[in-house]
Amino acid sequence: MEFKGIAHKFGDDVNTDYIISGRYKFKTLDMKELARHVMEDLDPDFYSKVNKGDFIVAGKNFGCGSSREQAPLAILNADISAVLAKSFARIFYRNCINTGLALIECDTDQINEGDELEVDVEKGVIRNLTQQRDIPVKPLPRFMLKILSDGGLVEHFKKHGTFNFD
Amino acid sequence: MGMTITEKILAYHAGKERVEPGELINCRLDVVLANDITAPVAITEFEKLGLNEVFDREKVVLVPDHFTPNKDIKSAEQARYVREFARKYGIINYFEIGRMGIEHCLLPQEGLVLPGDLVIGADSHTCTYGALGAFATGVGSTDMAAGMATGEAWFKVPETIKFVYYGKMPRWLSGKDLILYTIGDIGVDGARYMAMEFTGEAIRELSMDNRFTMANMAIEAGGKNGIIEPDEITLAYVKQRAKRPYRLFQSDPDARYAEVREYNVSRLEPQVAFPHLPENTRPVSEAQGITIDQVVIGSCTNGRLEDLQIAAGIMKGKKVHPEIRVIVIPGTQEIYLEALRQGLVEVFIEAGAAVSTPTCGPCLGGHMGILAKGEKALATTNRNFVGRMGHPESEVYLASPAVAAASAVLGRIAAPWEVIK
């Protein structure tokens, strides 16, 4: 899982209601439609700014709040390749792995809005091409990487016929 | 080295003698829960797996509570999807409108969650059941789908923070105030990935309804679970409801904690969380005078009988302030009926409040009390994020039922002793 794109920066404690507001998230199971409203209350133009492969880059506790998977699914369907944050709320973290949205914990102070990044999730490498430096990464546990690289928990099950993670 | 109650429950369900924080384990599940918002996504994922049955028709629990009674055609379609799944797979614990309630009020009431259980729910406030001495945590719909299929889920064993509450609870102080104060102290990610164990003499004196409120908001500090060791109060609650055996776990005296925090409750004031995070807490004396447009008394946090009794005790013989509206939402049909029998509903209606059928409704900005631009609400709910109860430029203050009822009468944020001298 290697990605290249532009960083879109956000602050601390971005909750799931910011990621996709309750006004939309129950109305439809069409994730492409939901994706149009992703991060809308923080940045009304966000969806139109994103190009395929771009990154959401945030501070601490990204994804706090509700357990609804509409949050990572809306991000995935907005063509964001990965979320980089100082830390993640735990249900959101789990949901990303399970739905196949790549996420990485790292010091995001080393990334500015608009920086071009190259990210290798499996190897745990973030290269800030704009600032010409590598950012150290806390790698994902091996079995989570396996679920992620299979495309999420359901695809993982279909491939292996079990949820045994060894 | 001993183990905490959280570690013991996880070890038991993983079939292990002991577990260590940080360890990844696979656990058997006693209950797998979802609601009308999270179940549809879980069902879609479940059906991709191509299985003919769920792992246990009794252990899968489905409660349409968020957008019910259905507020529009789309929510009706989602509810129908869940209902049809429940029929197709013979789900025994599916709760229909009129026989249901807010999931986290309903499951303990029905004896579906018991001490020592391991529960996952596709709803972040699943942590409520920790009040019974169970390990309960919120997950997403895909984990729910996997849980329905296999009856198992993986966990990383969390470290535990121990919160010790000592001293005597002042008259108007409640479990809501203790948990708001705690979140204010450690912040909305203060217990991220961790277990929160609530203990101490003040907790031992707390009623079950107050304990549910505390465990319910563990997630608002980022906690994986909130938990209270079972005691006589737990057993008195559980005995009349349990239809199967259960296990009582206690933390060992030499259990290891990442941190121990102590609070003296005897001088604590009722708390109010200001917009837009539950950690923005202040004593009610610093919030008095803030005008509001709406009061909501209800939710999985504070929609239980004792919450309604306290609110009615303050509102009895009084009127809702002419410039505001008050919405009271009993947590379950049983609570609603008991509130009727005890004359509480009469108190609310005579005061000029609206009383609704059980629903999550306004708490998540769903229906039954959405705020317009610039409006302010004081609610007994659990989150006050931007736009949570409606327009992105509306505001929510969080507080206890006592503060909510006093505010309803005075039309501004008020302390209960301003109304009941």
Side-chain angles (χ1 to χ4, degrees), chain B residues 284-357:
Chain B
V284 66
S285 55
E286 291 177 24
Q288 275 162 308
I290 295 172
T291 55
I292 46 179
D293 302 287
Q294 176 167 297
V295 168
V296 174
I297 300 172
S299 84
C300 62
T301 311
N302 280 121
R304 298 184 181 78
L305 190 63
E306 194 181 327
D307 300 318
L308 302 184
Q309 287 168 334
I310 287 168
I314 291 169
M315 291 170 73
K316 191 173 169 64
K318 314 258 184 339
K319 292 284 179 201
V320 167
H321 189 274
E323 285 175 24
I324 70 166
R325 66 257 180 194
V326 176
I327 300 161
V328 181
I329 309 175
T332 66
Q333 288 289 83
E334 186 181 299
I335 294 168
Y336 197 170
L337 188 56
E338 194 51 37
L340 262 171
R341 287 179 177 145
Q342 293 186 10
L344 312 180
V345 171
E346 207 174 317
V347 169
F348 294 129
I349 293 177
E350 281 186 346
V355 182
S356 151
T357 191

Side-chain angles (χ1 to χ4, degrees), chain A residues 18 26-27 69 90 94 98, chain B residues 78 137 141-143 154:
Chain A
Y18 274 135
F26 322 112
K27 284 197 174 158
E69 257 167 40
R90 61 160 288 276
R94 237 183 132 98
N98 286 340
Chain B
Q78 296 227 34
T137 193
S141 295
T142 302
D143 272 318
W154 64 268

Side-chain angles (χ1 to χ4, degrees), chain B residues 104 108 125-132 136 211-213 215-216 226 300 304:
Chain B
H104 308 309
H125 293 106
T126 301
C127 52
T128 309
Y129 315 127
L132 292 163
R211 293 181 186 189
F212 285 123
T213 303
N216 171 275
C300 62
R304 298 184 181 78

